[in-house]
């Protein structure tokens, strides 16, 4: 009888099984122009040091995830591998020094690795997308950030034999901002800080009560957090949205238009360190990378009263020397910081009383795309995420050597044209005139940060805005961006923002309206060294009201020369390999490599985005009742969702749908962003429309006829623009801010009509155009439960 | 494109066929040539013609051309182009899925933009001969065409927004239309 009972009980529970998420199939294949085989890469990311060994996670990419960690013997330099779960990201050494724990984002477990045995000894079941780990000082508690759950889980641990038992699980855990990644625990273990790279916040959590004490709103991605005494240091970027200080939407929440900062567009993109009082959550200092750099209208100097230069941060706060503050550590009595977008490192000392930072020199990181930085007994280790190596430095930050830990069997990075594009994507700063910006400032890890920016394509420069779009699944959103006007070869207005052409003497069409003098590039005339830039002309004609500093930001006389010099210094070549990026004679089929000038680098980046879609595998279970019900609603004629969002990309405006005469665009399905006077702030600059024939916008004359002759803006309240259809694949991982203006907070607000009963208190239904509901699909007839079902389905795509 | 067209496009997309991929080795040729659709409604062959160099948004430079095929031409084609100005190295690009529509017994493409290097402004190109070669592929069908055209600059103004900015327009640089 007892045996029968035991068998029955056993049958009631399913034993836990290890599961792994599978990558999405890559729609870009051998039949596509530019496709080429790519080498495998391991992308070394995080490090944990135990004694004389350094353990390094090797996550690979979402398309080709790895399943190993590397172990460096710091005495000998030897490297070995240990198998763990799929796409290991975070790693932490247990305080007892005998184990390291590894978070495997694409597996449903955390690996426990025995340091002595050099092997995975245990798999502790977890949610998928466990990302980073932090132990309490006594080793009895483990905190785990989870990108999928937007939470930090807490496990109680007990050592049992040669392993661990999880005696209590608090899961999903403490809710935090969108896409938490890094976390840190204070010295005595009383406080935990969790950084959200998409949600732009840091959650400060009381460890004992597991309650959030403060939600620090950075207005920018929180890349890493570090406790130093009574202070919390946050690696971040600028809070600005690149608008004029006091014009356009109120994007800094101060009740006034604009973002409160005078620089606009990409000149407003900075790199920052924030210092908080741990006890109160008060911001004590915010250091920045601002510079007086550029010869174009976007950059404002502190002394420029006419353009509100006094609103810039004080110059004594301009101490952040590199681009994209990525990871922080405390070692050898200093704060150390890696800059992933400029291949640099920097250290800072901190005043223990007031938290003020003093900068050390900016140092070369010794490899491409530095990520983790950790201290050892006598120095520092830095992962080179793209370089596939770990850099070894002395305690003063002097580079000693690199140790290969990743996969270099396909050649040193970059070994292909797509990898050249990948390098530019992640290490963009050398190609910018101010050394500040990068693609990954806004497209963190290929996603989209929760922020809408002023972009150079809008009619009202520094006033209109667009929500950041995810890079992941770029093939799904091709032609790119909301406008569906640009493709992988011609997104030049965005690239122009990084290094506007007016900054290069012989390229400066504002200095030389009739063209530069003959031989300008080879023998730059005196004006190149002593003439102020007279202005910038692209819809925002602006002049500097004073003589600008004569030094141009670069030595190169043209932008192409600048690009070629920068890529040459980074990788030792200035033309493509020709495997994916080449010129081809249409008649003879002859091919040759391309110069890596402005156009060549633009194409390399486009090629990378297609070659490596990097869509994160979806962890949401599709075989559920709510999902099936939601799918039926999605496919029903009553909602009409599937008409514009058909599989596989769940968009009509994409070439992955079979090349059916694209791009496809349509009139706005939600109310445009409007100024108080009714002006449609979504309107494109006419020059942008001219440059991209696929972009659609009502002509003034068609709406208001002859009145436009006297005033081209007379109908800016009536004109509309057309948008493409946003792909839904991967939407589960995107920022909360949705629609072209980013105003909808999550799918519920996107789907619901105004006043829909499914809306939660404070939520707004955006499914309307100027008061007419159901303009973005029929949803007003759906019950709250049906809305939930529809959302459940969308999150499985 | 006018506003009334916006709603039609998605429906058209569902009805239209697909041109296929670019990798077919056994191609069937069809005839095509390069031209441009003038404002007066006439079609102008570009071989031997003058073509206006547009100095536009953010200082970018380009010319616009169209491809003409016979009545049996494709609905869509992937266009590969190469352009060569004077003794400079040829440069090129590709434009996927260019629509062709029936006009005057032929099938003519939408605008294909050929963007020129703007590193030193438009001046070096004016009066030069541009040799343009294209290859259009639609599934297993393929055409090639070439034309020599002279780049002209009848309109030296910079077309950035509603009002052009011209080199002699001294007032233009003093305006601040930045929205503040």
């Amino acid at each position: 009888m007892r045996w029968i009972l035991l068998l029955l009980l056993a049958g009631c529970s399913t034993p836990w099984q290890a599961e792994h998420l599978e990558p999405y199939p890559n729609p870009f294949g051998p039949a596509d122009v530019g496709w080429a085989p790519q080498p495998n890469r391991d992308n070394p990311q995080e490090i944990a040091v135990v004694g004389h060994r350094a353990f390094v996670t090797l996550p690979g990419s979402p398309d080709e995830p790895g399943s190993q960690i590397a172990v460096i013997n710091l005495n000998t330099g030897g490297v070995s591998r240990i198998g763990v779960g799929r796409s290991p990201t975070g790693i932490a050494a247990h305080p007892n020094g005998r184990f390291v724990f590894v978070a495997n984002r694409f597996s449903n477990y955390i690996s426990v690795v025995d340091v002595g045995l050099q092997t995975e000894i245990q798999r502790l079941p977890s949610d998928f997308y466990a990302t980073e780990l932090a132990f309490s000082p006594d080793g009895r508690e483990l905190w785990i950030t989870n990108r999928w759950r937007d939470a930090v889980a807490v496990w109680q641990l007990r050592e049992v034999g040669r392993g661990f038992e999880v005696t209590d699980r608090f899961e999903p855990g403490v809710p935090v901002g969108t896409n938490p990644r890094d976390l840190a625990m204070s010295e005595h273990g009383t406080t935990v800080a969790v950084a959200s790279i998409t949600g732009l916040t840091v959650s400060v959590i009381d460890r004992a009560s597991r309650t959030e004490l403060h939600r620090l709103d950075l207005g920018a991605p929180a890349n890493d957090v570090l406790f130093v005494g009574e202070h919390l240091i946050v690696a971040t970027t600028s809070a600005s949205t690149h608008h004029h200080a006091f014009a356009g939407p109120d994007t800094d929440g101060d009740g006034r238009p604009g973002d409160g900062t005078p620089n606009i567009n990409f000149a407003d993109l900075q790199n920052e360190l924030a210092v908080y009082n741990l006890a109160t959550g008060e911001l004590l200092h915010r250091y920045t990378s601002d510079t007086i750099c550029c010869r174009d209208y976007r950059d404002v100097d502190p002394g420029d009263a006419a353009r509100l230069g006094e609103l810039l941060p004080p110059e004594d706060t301009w101490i952040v020397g590199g681009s994209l503050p990525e990871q922080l550590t405390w070692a050898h009595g200093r704060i150390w910081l890696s800059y992933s977008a400029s291949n640099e490192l920097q250290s800072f000392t901190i005043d223990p009383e007031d938290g003020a930072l003093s900068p050390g020199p900016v140092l070369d990181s010794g490899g491409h795309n530095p990520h983790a930085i950790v201290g050892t007994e006598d120095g520092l280790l830095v992962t080179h995420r793209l370089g596939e190596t770990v850099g070894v430095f002395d305690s003063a930050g002097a580079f000693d050597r690199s140790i290969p830990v990743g996969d270099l069997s396909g050649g040193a990075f970059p070994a292909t044209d797509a990898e050249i594009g990948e390098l530019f994507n992640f290490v963009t700063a050398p190609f910018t005139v101010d050394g500040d910006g990068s693609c990954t400032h806004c497209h963190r890890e290929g996603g989209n940060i929760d922020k809408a920016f002023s972009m150079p394509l809008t009619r009202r420069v520094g006033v209109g805005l667009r929500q950041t779009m995810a890079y992941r699944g770029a093939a799904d959103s091709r032609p790119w961006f909301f406008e569906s006007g640009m493709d992988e070869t011609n997104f030049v207005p965005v690239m122009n923002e990084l290094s506007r052409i007016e900054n290069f003497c012989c390229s400066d069409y504002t200095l030389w309206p009739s063209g530069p003098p003959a031989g300008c590039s080879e023998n730059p005339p005196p004006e190149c060294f002593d003439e102020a830039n007279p202005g910038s002309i692209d819809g925002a004609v602006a002049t500097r009201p004073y003589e600008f500093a004569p030094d141009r930001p670069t030595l190169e006389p043209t932008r192409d020369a600048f690009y070629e010099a920068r890529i040459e210094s980074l990788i030792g070549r200035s033309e493509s390999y020709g495997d994916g990026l080449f010129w081809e004679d249409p008649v003879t089929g002859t091919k040759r490599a391309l110069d890596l000038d402005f156009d060549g680098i633009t194409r390399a980046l486009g090629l990378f985005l297609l070659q490596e879609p990097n869509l994160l595998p979806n962890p949401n279970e599709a075989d559920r009742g709510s999902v099936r019900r939601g799918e039926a609603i999605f496919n029903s004629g009553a909602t009409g969702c599937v008409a514009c969002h058909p599989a596989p990309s769940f968009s009509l405006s994409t070439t992955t749908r079979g090349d059916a005469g694209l791009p496809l665009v349509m009139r706005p399905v939600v109310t445009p962003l409007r100024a108080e006077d009714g002006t449609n702030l979504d309107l494109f600059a006419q020059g942008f429309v001219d440059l991209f024939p696929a972009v659609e916008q009502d002509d003034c004359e068609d709406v208001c006829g002859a009145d436009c002759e006297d005033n081209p803006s007379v109908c800016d309240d009536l004109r509309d623009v057309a948008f493409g259809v946003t792909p839904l694949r991967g939407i589960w991982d995107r920022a909360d801010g949705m629609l072209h203006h980013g105003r909808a907070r999550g799918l519920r607000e996107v789907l619901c009509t105004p006043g829909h009963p499914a809306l939660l208190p404070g939520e707004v239904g955006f499914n309307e155009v100027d008061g007419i509901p159901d303009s973005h699909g029929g949803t007003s007839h759906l019950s709250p439960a049906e809305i939930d079902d529809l959302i459940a389905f969308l999150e499985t795509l | 494109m006018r506003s009334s067209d916006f709603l039609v496009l998605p429906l058209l997309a569902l009805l239209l066929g697909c041109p296929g991929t670019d990798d077919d080795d056994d191609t069937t040729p069809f005839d095509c040539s390069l031209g441009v659709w003038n404002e007066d409604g006439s079609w102008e062959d570009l071989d031997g013609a003058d073509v206006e160099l547009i100095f536009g948004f953010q200082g970018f430079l380009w010319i616009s051309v169209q491809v003409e095929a016979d009545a049996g031409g494709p609905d869509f084609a992937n266009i590969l182009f190469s352009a060569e100005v004077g003794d400079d190295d040829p440069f090129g690009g590709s434009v996927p899925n260019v629509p062709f529509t029936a006009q005057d017994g032929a099938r003519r493409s939408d605008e294909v933009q050929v963007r020129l290097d703007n590193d030193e402004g438009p001046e070096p190109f004016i009066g030069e001969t541009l040799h343009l070669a294209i290859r259009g592929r639609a599934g297993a069908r393929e055409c090639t065409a070439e034309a020599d055209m002279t780049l002209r600059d009848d309109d030296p103004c910079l077309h950035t927004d509603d009002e052009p900015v011209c080199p002699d327009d001294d007032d233009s640089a003093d305006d601040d239309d930045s929205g503040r």
Side-chain angles (χ1 to χ4, degrees), chain A residues 566-616:
Chain A
R566 296 305 170 102
I567 194 68
E568 176 83 35
S569 70
L570 277 173
I571 67 172
R573 62 186 299 130
S574 59
E575 69 175 25
S576 69
Y577 291 104
D579 64 328
L581 198 62
F582 45 79
W583 168 83
E584 179 180 357
D585 187 312
V587 179
T588 66
T590 303
K591 297 178 181 178
R592 65 163 171 76
L594 287 183
D595 291 339
L596 293 173
D597 53 15
F598 177 76
D599 191 62
I601 290 290
T602 300
R603 290 175 188 229
L605 176 58
L607 186 64
F608 160 65
L609 293 177
L610 293 180
Q611 186 89 49
E612 305 278 342
N614 282 315
L615 271 171
L616 289 172

Side-chain angles (χ1 to χ4, degrees), chain A residues 343-383:
Chain A
N343 287 351
E344 292 172 319
L345 312 174
Q346 191 175 16
S347 66
F348 300 84
T349 56
I350 183 168
D351 184 323
E353 297 300 319
D354 66 4
L357 302 183
S358 299
V362 178
L363 307 167
D364 191 320
S365 71
H368 293 312
N369 198 217
H371 190 88
I373 180 167
V374 300
T376 62
E377 193 172 305
D378 55 359
L380 298 161
L381 299 175
V382 176
T383 53

Side-chain angles (χ1 to χ4, degrees), chain A residues 331-332 336 345 363 374-381 391-401:
Chain A
H332 312 295
W336 291 88
L345 312 174
L363 307 167
V374 300
T376 62
E377 193 172 305
D378 55 359
L380 298 161
L381 299 175
V392 182
F393 299 78
D394 70 16
S395 60
F399 177 68
D400 179 17
R401 67 190 190 282

Side-chain angles (χ1 to χ4, degrees), chain A residues 53-92:
Chain A
R53 295 189 180 96
F55 296 81
V56 184
T57 56
L58 303 173
S61 73
D63 300 316
E64 292 186 57
S67 57
Q68 293 180 317
I69 60 173
V71 187
I72 306 172
N73 184 320
L74 296 174
N75 292 334
T76 66
V79 178
S80 57
R81 297 282 189 101
I82 299 173
V84 292
R86 184 169 292 176
S87 200
T89 51
I91 192 165

Side-chain angles (χ1 to χ4, degrees), chain A residues 397-693:
Chain A
F399 177 68
D400 179 17
R401 67 190 190 282
S402 282
I403 299 174
V405 295
D407 189 348
L408 292 167
S409 61
F413 180 91
T416 65
D417 292 335
E419 287 195 338
I420 291 173
E422 184 176 17
L423 175 66
F424 177 84
N425 179 62
F426 288 101
V427 188
T428 317
F431 300 87
T432 65
V433 289
D434 59 4
D436 286 340
S438 79
C439 305
T440 44
H441 272 70
C442 301
H443 306 282
R444 297 294 289 123
E445 295 188 343
N448 65 325
I449 65 172
D450 196 356
K451 200 167 173 179
F453 288 97
S454 163
M455 291 298 285
L457 56 84
T458 55
R459 178 167 166 75
R460 303 286 297 279
V461 175
V463 179
L465 54 71
R466 292 288 189 276
Q467 173 70 2
T468 309
M469 293 191 80
Y471 263 11
R472 297 187 191 282
D476 283 354
S477 57
R478 178 186 180 204
W480 290 344
F481 307 111
F482 288 105
E483 302 74 31
S484 292
M486 292 180 255
D487 63 35
E488 66 273 17
T489 68
N490 66 4
F491 48 105
V492 286
V494 182
M495 297 286 287
N496 191 39
E497 279 292 301
L498 297 166
S499 49
R500 285 189 70 100
I501 198 165
E502 304 94 301
N503 292 283
F504 304 92
C505 177
C506 299
S507 304
D508 185 354
Y509 60 92
T510 65
L511 179 62
W512 313 107
S514 299
C520 185
S521 298
E522 296 75 27
N523 187 20
E527 290 90 335
C528 285
F529 306 101
D530 57 20
E531 276 293 309
N533 167 254
S536 296
I537 310 171
D538 70 336
V541 180
T543 55
R544 293 183 183 279
Y546 57 93
E547 190 69 16
F548 185 59
D551 294 337
R552 287 186 178 266
T554 66
L555 295 174
E556 291 80 8
T558 69
R559 183 164 60 185
D560 281 346
F562 173 70
Y563 265 72
E564 291 185 50
R566 296 305 170 102
I567 194 68
E568 176 83 35
S569 70
L570 277 173
I571 67 172
R573 62 186 299 130
S574 59
E575 69 175 25
S576 69
Y577 291 104
D579 64 328
L581 198 62
F582 45 79
W583 168 83
E584 179 180 357
D585 187 312
V587 179
T588 66
T590 303
K591 297 178 181 178
R592 65 163 171 76
L594 287 183
D595 291 339
L596 293 173
D597 53 15
F598 177 76
D599 191 62
I601 290 290
T602 300
R603 290 175 188 229
L605 176 58
L607 186 64
F608 160 65
L609 293 177
L610 293 180
Q611 186 89 49
E612 305 278 342
N614 282 315
L615 271 171
L616 289 172
N618 197 319
N620 289 298
E621 174 59 59
D623 188 18
R624 290 180 290 150
S626 62
V627 173
R628 287 190 289 271
R629 291 191 299 272
E631 183 175 14
I633 294 167
F634 184 85
N635 290 325
S636 71
T639 60
C641 304
V642 74
C644 293
H645 293 282
S649 65
F650 297 90
S651 169
L652 274 175
S653 302
T654 168
T655 48
T656 59
R657 278 206 67 253
D659 304 343
L662 303 164
L664 294 169
V665 293
M666 61 186 67
R667 294 186 74 83
V669 295
V670 299
T671 298
L673 185 72
R674 296 188 187 283
E676 285 186 3
D677 65 358
T679 297
N680 183 349
L681 296 178
D682 295 340
L683 293 178
F684 306 117
Q686 186 58 44
F688 178 78
V689 177
D690 294 340
L691 182 57
F692 295 100

Side-chain angles (χ1 to χ4, degrees), chain A residues 689-712:
Chain A
V689 177
D690 294 340
L691 182 57
F692 295 100
V695 171
E696 313 287 2
Q697 175 166 264
D698 289 335
D699 290 335
C700 183
E701 291 77 9
D702 292 333
V703 179
C704 288
D707 291 347
C708 298
E709 290 181 13
D710 295 331
N711 179 7

Side-chain angles (χ1 to χ4, degrees), chain A residues 197-349:
Chain A
I197 57 170
T198 300
L200 319 182
T201 59
V202 170
S203 296
V204 179
I205 300 166
D206 176 65
R207 183 180 149 222
S209 64
R210 297 170 181 172
T211 55
E212 192 175 46
L213 299 171
H214 311 288
R215 178 74 67 98
L216 308 177
D217 183 3
L218 296 163
N223 299 327
D224 198 11
V225 282
L226 174 72
F227 288 102
V228 181
E230 299 305 310
H231 300 105
L232 173 66
I233 320 297
V234 184
T236 184
T237 54
S238 47
S240 66
T241 54
H242 308 180
H243 289 85
H244 286 295
F246 302 121
D250 174 14
T251 56
D252 60 351
D254 67 351
R256 294 183 295 182
D259 70 355
T261 62
N263 292 336
I264 67 168
N265 287 352
F266 282 25
D268 213 359
L269 188 59
Q270 305 298 336
N271 304 285
E272 305 199 342
L273 285 173
V275 182
Y276 289 90
N277 179 305
L278 183 54
T280 65
E282 178 191 5
L283 177 66
L284 301 175
H285 308 280
R286 189 144 177 169
Y287 297 99
T288 184
S289 58
D290 204 350
T291 50
I292 304 171
C293 79
C294 308
R295 293 203 170 210
D296 64 66
Y297 71 92
R298 307 166 306 164
D299 193 46
V300 175
D301 299 347
D304 186 349
R307 300 181 67 207
L308 305 176
E310 74 274 12
L311 293 177
L312 288 168
E315 286 190 62
D316 61 3
T317 66
W318 300 6
I319 65 172
V320 179
S323 177
L324 198 47
E326 186 72 64
Q327 296 285 283
L328 292 156
T329 197
W330 174 261
H332 312 295
R334 303 175 72 86
I335 296 165
W336 291 88
L337 172 63
S338 62
Y339 293 117
S340 61
S342 62
N343 287 351
E344 292 172 319
L345 312 174
Q346 191 175 16
S347 66
F348 300 84
T349 56

